[in-house]
Amino acid sequence: MAEDGKITNDGTVDIHKNPANKKETGNWKACRFIVGNECFESLAYYGMCTNLVNYLEKRLNMGNVAASNSITNWSGTCSITPLIGAFLADSYLGRYWTIASFSILCVFGMTLLTLSASVKGLKPSCENDVCHPTSSQTAVCFIALYLIALGTGGITPCVSSFGADQFDETDETEKKKKSSYFNWYYMSINVGALIASSVLVWIQMNVGWGWGFGIPAVAMAIAVVFFFSGSRLYRLQKPGGSALTRMFQVLVASLRKSNVKVPEDKSLLYETIDEECNIKGSRKLEHTRKLRFFDKAAVETISDHVKGAANPWRLCAVTQVEELKSVIRLLPIWATGIVFSTVYNQMNTMFILQGNTMDQHMGPRFKIPSACLSLFDTLSVIFWVPVYDRLIMPFARKYTGHECGFTQLQRMGIGLVISIFSMVAAGVLEVVRLNFVRRHNYYDVEEIPMSIFWQVPQYLLIGCAEVFTFIGQLEFFYDQAPDAMRSLCSALPLTAVALGNYLSTLLVTVVTNVTTRNGKLGWIPDNLNKGHLDYFYWILAILSVINFFVYLWISKWYTYKKAKGTA
């Protein structure tokens, strides 16, 4: 127990590895540096990727399908690499040093991308807006992109968790602040994204790609400086050793004892006698009755001890068993995020391609790039975060009695419903747009005289869905993760984003292959005026409806974790 309440009770330490002092570290005085870092980091990331589909089309001479699939594959990789960063953070480096080292790698990647778009010999040569990239120039661009993907892999799963680490869960006052932290953390991401999707996209399309990529590289460098500036205020969780090893030990021990009967009395199961957990930086977990096969690993037998010590590959403590159970229970919830991520991903691909076919003018002279419309998604998030935090949450709390208004599962479910309407809005707009094309015979017109701002509702709906689902996921996966596996579990929704990108690629590829048979143009040709993009949106809407009902069934089955003791 922390002496006189001056020291945190969750096992955190300061940058000098001393027990963290409550008054001198953590809380919002530390989080302002984390939130500031994330604002600049998101400005850099979204400033680089929001308009990337147009860069690949215009400078690397890719078609609609090739550019779209390249983006979704790269975005998917950006969401898979967090598993690497999360594993290193939880097991060996800790979140602080993982964020620091991978941020520097991200700066290198963004610098290389800037050079590939601005330095003669590295950038493609262009004549009359037609570019002729060499294979080596394309390779340099993609090397830079995948360096960035690796860099973000150490940042994204750790920053949100690192901020939450600044609030002691055993202190009720600090615990209440943590829920608001996730809202404002996500807000900071979108403030950066707002600047990226407006100012930086305009610079890329009107000033040049060198400046358009150079500014994000500088922003990433500022993010690194911002992060290090708050070092003396941070609370650091100790890395708990290899979580994968612990989970494999439970699996092996359970299989070895497949014939052993689990006692009805849970007190007969093996657990360390100390009040503290034997896993660094973790609290003990209470036994749960579901997934009882794995309880076999905690049943003591004569052969479990070697020279008086328990063989970890034959006998595991209840907390270690519950660690594995916690992760398994999270997986079905995680899987339902894949279709949502597929819908969300359309902002960076199909929404932009759809917008490219419409009138992008604001007034007689100013022309807004189609990728800039993602700022309405960002504005929607910036609007709904404070509304949710200050109005919806207190209002819902009166009726539900839950301290956060809605449970995390309810919050995510609301977002899934809203995402369905975003696809319906996009599909309806495409039906109207194609009818306009047919009525006026605009099949070969590059930009039809129909305002791009008709796309705004679908972006606003996506932004609203984000506030419920993505922020709900951030909080849910952090809270429900075992203490020593929080980075790894925080990476799970990011891998759902990855699989959502890959699912989008798969759907586009399958739709293209099926609909272009017998010489047909297909649903998504280079000239969308002759296609049926609306059919693709209807497929996503139907998948989202099915996904929501699956989510309802899974959420009823879910059992929340119960932690006890100190870390």
Side-chain angles (χ1 to χ4, degrees):
M1 187 67 67
E3 185 181 350
D4 297 325
K6 294 180 180 178
I7 305 300
T8 57
N9 202 34
D10 59 359
T12 50
V13 297
D14 61 22
I15 193 67
H16 303 296
K17 299 184 179 180
N18 299 316
N21 186 297
K22 280 191 175 184
K23 290 185 178 180
E24 296 176 4
T25 63
N27 258 292
W28 275 105
K29 59 180 171 288
C31 282
R32 68 174 183 263
F33 289 97
I34 297 168
V35 168
N37 158 265
E38 186 56 27
C39 184
F40 280 104
E41 193 270 327
S42 68
L43 189 157
Y45 177 79
Y46 288 107
M48 183 272 305
C49 75
T50 299
N51 201 28
L52 194 56
V53 67
N54 278 327
Y55 181 76
L56 298 183
E57 280 195 332
K58 298 178 185 300
R59 290 292 183 266
L60 297 189
N61 207 19
M62 291 184 175
N64 278 350
V65 171
S68 174
N69 284 348
S70 294
I71 294 296
T72 51
N73 289 337
W74 174 77
S75 297
T77 304
C78 285
S79 301
I80 285 290
T81 52
L83 288 175
I84 300 171
F87 174 76
L88 290 173
D90 282 339
S91 303
Y92 305 110
L93 297 179
R95 285 186 264 281
Y96 175 84
W97 290 110
T98 302
I99 295 168
S101 53
F102 279 77
S103 293
I104 293 169
L105 179 62
C106 210
V107 172
F108 284 133
M110 289 191 173
T111 302
L112 181 59
L113 183 65
T114 303
L115 294 175
S116 74
S118 55
V119 175
K120 189 175 181 180
L122 289 178
K123 68 176 184 178
S125 57
C126 304
E127 294 179 12
N128 300 322
D129 290 331
V130 178
C131 296
H132 307 282
T134 64
S135 57
S136 59
Q137 288 168 342
T138 302
V140 169
C141 175
F142 277 94
I143 287 170
L145 287 175
Y146 280 90
L147 270 177
I148 295 167
L150 183 58
T152 57
I155 302 170
T156 47
C158 296
V159 174
S160 63
S161 297
F162 187 60
D165 289 344
Q166 308 310 309
F167 302 94
D168 187 348
E169 275 198 350
T170 63
D171 184 315
E172 286 302 318
T173 303
E174 291 195 14
K175 188 177 179 181
K176 288 178 182 177
K177 294 178 182 178
K178 188 177 68 177
S179 186
S180 286
Y181 157 74
F182 283 109
N183 290 327
W184 295 103
Y185 163 79
Y186 202 76
M187 174 88 150
S188 73
I189 294 176
N190 283 273
V191 169
L194 175 64
I195 300 169
S197 59
S198 52
V199 177
L200 289 181
V201 169
W202 186 87
I203 289 173
Q204 289 165 353
M205 300 300 285
N206 294 278
V207 178
W209 291 99
W211 280 99
F213 288 148
I215 294 171
V218 172
M220 190 65 223
I222 294 172
V224 174
V225 173
F226 220 101
F227 179 75
F228 280 118
S229 298
S231 295
R232 64 183 179 82
L233 299 172
Y234 296 147
R235 296 176 184 173
L236 281 59
Q237 286 280 3
K238 301 170 188 173
S242 175
L244 295 179
T245 301
R246 292 197 301 274
M247 288 193 290
F248 275 120
Q249 285 172 342
V250 175
L251 284 170
V252 171
S254 300
L255 290 171
R256 280 179 165 177
K257 297 178 180 177
S258 56
N259 296 323
V260 172
K261 186 178 179 181
V262 178
E264 288 298 322
D265 185 356
K266 65 179 183 181
S267 66
L268 297 175
L269 296 175
Y270 175 71
E271 181 58 285
T272 54
I273 60 174
D274 300 329
E275 182 183 336
E276 293 187 8
C277 181
N278 62 344
I279 301 167
K280 275 186 183 179
S282 187
R283 292 168 294 171
K284 286 185 175 181
L285 296 173
E286 290 186 12
H287 176 260
T288 57
R289 298 192 67 84
K290 290 182 179 178
L291 301 169
R292 294 198 70 195
F293 173 79
F294 298 109
D295 289 341
K296 294 176 184 289
V299 177
E300 280 193 89
T301 62
I302 298 173
S303 58
D304 290 341
H305 296 270
V306 179
K307 296 181 180 178
N311 181 346
W313 294 93
R314 295 195 66 93
L315 181 63
C316 304
V318 168
T319 293
Q320 190 174 339
V321 172
E322 290 300 322
E323 263 196 338
L324 177 61
K325 285 187 184 182
S326 295
V327 174
I328 293 173
R329 286 197 299 268
L330 289 173
L331 292 180
I333 301 291
W334 161 81
T336 59
I338 296 172
V339 172
F340 179 84
S341 298
T342 303
V343 168
Y344 176 77
N345 177 65
Q346 302 315 307
M347 274 200 311
N348 294 326
T349 53
M350 294 307 167
F351 283 13
I352 293 175
L353 297 178
Q354 184 184 39
N356 285 344
T357 67
M358 303 173 76
D359 182 8
Q360 299 163 37
H361 286 89
M362 288 179 64
R365 295 184 180 180
F366 188 77
K367 187 176 180 181
I368 181 171
S370 57
C372 273
L373 255 68
S374 63
L375 69 87
F376 286 100
D377 160 77
T378 306
L379 287 171
S380 181
V381 171
I382 291 172
F383 171 79
W384 282 108
V385 163
V387 167
Y388 184 88
D389 196 67
R390 303 300 184 192
L391 297 177
I392 296 176
M393 194 161 68
F395 180 77
R397 189 184 293 132
K398 293 179 182 178
Y399 294 94
T400 64
H402 193 274
E403 62 179 12
C404 295
F406 298 108
T407 67
Q408 295 151 358
L409 289 172
Q410 288 170 339
R411 181 174 184 172
M412 290 188 283
I414 293 169
L416 294 181
V417 172
I418 297 170
S419 71
I420 297 169
F421 289 104
S422 70
M423 285 298 97
V424 171
V428 168
L429 174 61
E430 187 63 9
V431 169
V432 172
R433 195 188 71 80
L434 289 176
N435 285 338
F436 190 82
V437 168
R438 281 190 288 270
R439 197 161 55 246
H440 298 281
N441 195 27
Y442 284 148
Y443 291 104
D444 295 314
V445 175
E446 188 173 340
E447 291 180 6
I448 66 170
M450 183 176 176
S451 175
I452 193 174
F453 290 102
W454 284 107
Q455 282 192 308
V456 169
Q458 63 208 52
Y459 281 98
L460 293 178
L461 285 165
I462 284 280
C464 184
E466 277 185 74
V467 170
F468 284 90
T469 297
F470 277 156
I471 299 179
Q473 285 178 343
L474 282 174
E475 190 172 358
F476 177 77
F477 283 93
Y478 180 87
D479 278 353
Q480 294 305 305
D483 294 347
M485 296 175 64
R486 279 178 161 162
S487 295
L488 195 62
C489 290
S490 293
L492 285 178
L494 297 170
T495 61
V497 172
L499 292 176
N501 281 296
Y502 295 143
L503 177 58
S504 181
T505 299
L506 178 63
L507 286 173
V508 170
T509 302
V510 170
V511 163
T512 301
N513 289 339
V514 171
T515 60
T516 54
R517 288 174 181 171
N518 302 319
K520 294 180 180 178
L521 286 174
W523 291 358
I524 315 173
D526 286 341
N527 183 351
L528 290 179
N529 294 337
K530 299 178 180 179
H532 261 298
L533 182 58
D534 53 326
Y535 292 173
F536 183 70
Y537 287 140
W538 299 139
I539 288 176
L540 289 176
I542 292 168
L543 283 175
S544 296
V545 170
I546 295 170
N547 185 60
F548 172 68
F549 283 107
V550 171
Y551 175 83
L552 284 181
W553 178 76
I554 291 170
S555 60
K556 287 182 180 179
W557 172 85
Y558 186 78
T559 304
Y560 284 88
K561 81 165 191 185
K562 294 179 181 178
K564 58 182 179 179
T566 59

